[in-house]
Amino acid sequence: MDINEILGGVKCQACGRDHACDIESVFVESGAIAHLSALCEKYGKILVVADENTFGVAGKQTMDALAGKETEAVIFDGKSVLIPDERAIEHIRAHMDGVTLLVGIGSGVIQDLCKYVSFYAHLPYMIVATAPSMDGYASTAAAMILGGMKETITAHLPRAIVADVDVLKNAPMEMIRSGYGDIIGKWSALNDWRIATLLNGEYFCQYIYDITYDMIGETLKTANGLVKRDAESIKALTYALITVGVMMSFATTSRPASGCEHHLSHYFEITGIVHGEKYLAHGIDVAYSTVVVAKLREEIVKHGAPSVQHYPERGYYEAKIKELYGDSVGEGCIALQDKMGRYNESRLEKYIANWDKISEILSEMPSSAEIEEMLSLVGLDVQELVDTYGEKKINEAVLYAKDLKDRYTILWMYYDINGDKDEPCKRR
């Protein structure tokens, strides 16, 4: 499908809502950066934001396209991992005097920083994509780390997405695999969405669901081409990632594209930052986590309808959360879950009353073995997850990654049914 055909919005017969998208243009083609000249014609001073690596691969083309415009550049150090936190935000804000437009050169973190800073400055932004690594290009969600917590801030959409296939196909293979893995993770996100709709009455749109589902299929077709850096395969993956982003904008929530697999990925990232430990690229963590949560779904179905629900013992729970996340982030998690009240909520009757439908939905998810096979097509091996984090950390993520977010996923169902085996849980 041509993304530009739906950018103006859709009157949806499936859910009855009018879906809107404020992106004006998407270019995914060879030489796409040249379009910046016309796109930026009406703007005054332009602030270009990149890091040394992304500027190295697309900076010259971008600055050439902006020739004749008043520009200033903020270039972050490319040697260390850029974190979208308060320090990075303030570094950009220090260069905002007189700026009328931000142009980001990069992918995930650069995109999120430009999205966040421009939103609160009431300015538009555009993004020059440098890797087909994630689905956030066309999403209103900015994944930030504020006060040590992973927060998804609702911001705004770029005026334009410029994705030059000549740049994208030369991205590090890890980033190409990351984008592929992020799309494979939609199996899990869509499954969580259906479960949350069944149990909690959450908003659901079949149109958004179907298009996101179709993007998984289109991405699977690209696997062989991606490892060869085939231009058409890179273009198809990029279209899939941007389309999923548009679907999140249509839904006004990241629900169609982010579920328990993302929560595990966020857990590995946050605990890695807190404890100074290695963590994998976001999409690769998502890919491997999709295998992990597919196994949880299989275990839940095999277990059958629960007869009890587990509740944590407060003292143990607080100590465990602070051990895993550190005091500051841990206190944020505890406060969030106190606000949500999920640890005090009885869900047992819902599970029992809806068990046949729950089992049916969970069984629609491809098996863990099938997901592993999909990942192997681009050279991803889930053993890398075990080698990086170890079984203990993965098991802790399964139990406590849910505490980072306010979203209900099957991580809550798994905890409700199994509890923490090391914890003196209450059962009722």
Side-chain angles (χ1 to χ4, degrees):
M1 65 176 293
D2 184 349
I3 301 170
N4 289 284
E5 292 179 357
I6 61 173
L7 290 182
V10 172
K11 289 185 178 296
C12 186
Q13 296 180 350
C15 72
R17 292 187 181 183
D18 290 344
H19 299 312
C21 181
D22 294 332
I23 301 172
E24 295 175 357
S25 305
V26 173
F27 297 98
V28 185
E29 60 191 55
S30 176
I33 297 175
H35 289 289
L36 275 178
S37 180
L39 290 169
C40 297
E41 186 175 9
K42 65 182 180 181
Y43 295 100
K45 182 179 178 181
I46 297 170
L47 183 66
V48 176
V49 181
D51 66 31
E52 291 173 342
N53 298 318
T54 60
F55 195 83
V57 299
K60 182 180 185 305
Q61 302 95 306
T62 299
M63 301 311 287
D64 286 349
L66 297 177
K69 303 291 294 184
E70 182 184 1
T71 60
E72 185 176 349
V74 172
I75 312 296
F76 288 95
D77 177 13
K79 297 180 179 65
S80 55
V81 176
L82 178 58
I83 297 173
D85 59 7
E86 292 88 348
R87 182 178 298 183
I89 291 167
E90 290 309 313
H91 185 55
I92 297 173
R93 284 177 172 166
H95 297 266
M96 293 289 288
D97 187 38
V99 169
T100 64
L101 172 73
L102 274 71
V103 173
I105 305 174
S107 55
V109 175
I110 293 293
Q111 157 90 356
D112 288 328
L113 283 167
C114 289
K115 189 183 301 184
Y116 182 93
V117 172
S118 64
F119 177 72
Y120 285 103
H122 306 290
L123 293 173
Y125 82 100
M126 298 180 188
I127 187 72
V128 177
T130 56
S133 56
M134 52 92 214
D135 60 17
Y137 288 120
S139 166
T140 59
M144 308 298 292
I145 297 177
L146 305 175
M149 284 283 286
K150 184 85 171 186
E151 294 189 32
T152 301
I153 307 297
T154 301
H156 60 178
L157 295 166
R159 291 290 171 86
I161 301 170
V162 178
D164 193 326
V165 175
D166 297 333
V167 172
L168 300 175
K169 71 180 183 181
N170 292 316
M173 184 53 65
E174 179 187 50
M175 300 189 82
I176 295 171
R177 289 182 176 124
S178 184
Y180 177 91
D182 203 1
I183 292 291
I184 295 302
K186 307 316 170 203
W187 287 117
S188 171
L190 291 173
N191 197 265
D192 273 338
W193 195 14
R194 290 198 61 201
I195 288 291
T197 300
L198 172 68
L199 296 178
N200 301 326
E202 284 193 23
Y203 163 75
F204 181 82
C205 177
Q206 192 66 48
Y207 170 82
I208 293 172
Y209 179 97
D210 289 344
I211 289 183
T212 305
Y213 189 95
D214 288 345
M215 289 304 102
I216 305 173
E218 291 302 309
T219 298
L220 283 170
K221 296 175 186 177
T222 71
N224 289 334
L226 292 178
V227 297
K228 300 174 184 176
R229 300 184 182 275
D230 170 69
E232 286 304 310
S233 297
I234 295 291
K235 181 177 180 179
L237 173 60
T238 306
Y239 258 106
L241 290 164
I242 295 174
T243 300
V244 168
V246 172
M247 291 304 103
M248 286 190 274
S249 297
F250 278 8
T252 66
T253 171
S254 61
R255 236 330 167 184
S258 177
C260 57
E261 74 299 326
H262 273 67
H263 294 180
L264 263 65
S265 173
H266 295 158
Y267 177 91
F268 295 133
E269 180 183 1
I270 291 295
T271 56
I273 292 170
V274 168
H275 299 294
E277 298 169 346
K278 178 184 176 182
Y279 54 93
L280 301 172
H282 169 73
I284 291 176
D285 262 340
V286 167
Y288 294 148
S289 294
T290 303
V291 176
V292 173
V293 297
K295 291 179 179 178
L296 300 186
R297 289 179 169 93
E298 292 162 3
E299 186 177 335
I300 290 170
V301 171
K302 184 178 179 180
H303 182 281
S307 57
V308 296
Q309 178 179 333
H310 293 76
Y311 297 82
E313 194 279 321
R314 181 74 184 196
Y316 178 94
Y317 166 72
E318 289 188 357
K320 187 67 176 179
I321 289 294
K322 290 180 180 180
E323 172 196 333
L324 297 175
Y325 290 109
D327 287 345
S328 178
V329 177
E331 287 171 2
C333 291
I334 293 166
L336 174 63
Q337 296 311 325
D338 282 347
K339 177 183 175 182
M340 296 304 299
R342 285 222 169 88
Y343 278 113
N344 296 318
E345 178 187 350
S346 175
R347 290 176 286 273
L348 183 60
E349 290 184 4
K350 280 186 184 179
Y351 294 153
I352 294 171
N354 294 283
W355 193 254
D356 287 347
K357 188 62 177 177
I358 290 170
S359 297
E360 178 186 329
I361 292 172
L362 294 180
S363 298
E364 291 173 359
M365 172 86 181
S367 70
S368 55
E370 289 170 329
I371 297 292
E372 286 194 62
E373 176 61 26
M374 294 175 197
L375 299 182
S376 72
L377 297 175
V378 296
L380 290 172
D381 184 348
V382 75
Q383 184 61 40
E384 183 181 14
L385 186 80
V386 180
D387 292 343
T388 302
Y389 302 125
E391 293 285 359
K392 181 176 183 292
K393 186 167 185 174
I394 294 169
N395 291 336
E396 288 171 338
V398 165
L399 293 173
Y400 295 108
K402 67 188 188 321
D403 296 81
L404 274 169
K405 298 291 182 178
D406 60 2
R407 179 165 292 172
Y408 179 87
T409 71
I410 61 99
L411 294 181
W412 279 100
M413 186 182 296
Y414 182 84
Y415 184 92
D416 288 340
I417 293 172
N418 295 279
D420 182 338
K421 298 296 191 296
D422 296 326
E423 177 184 8
C425 287
K426 295 175 283 186
R427 299 169 176 81
R428 59 177 185 265

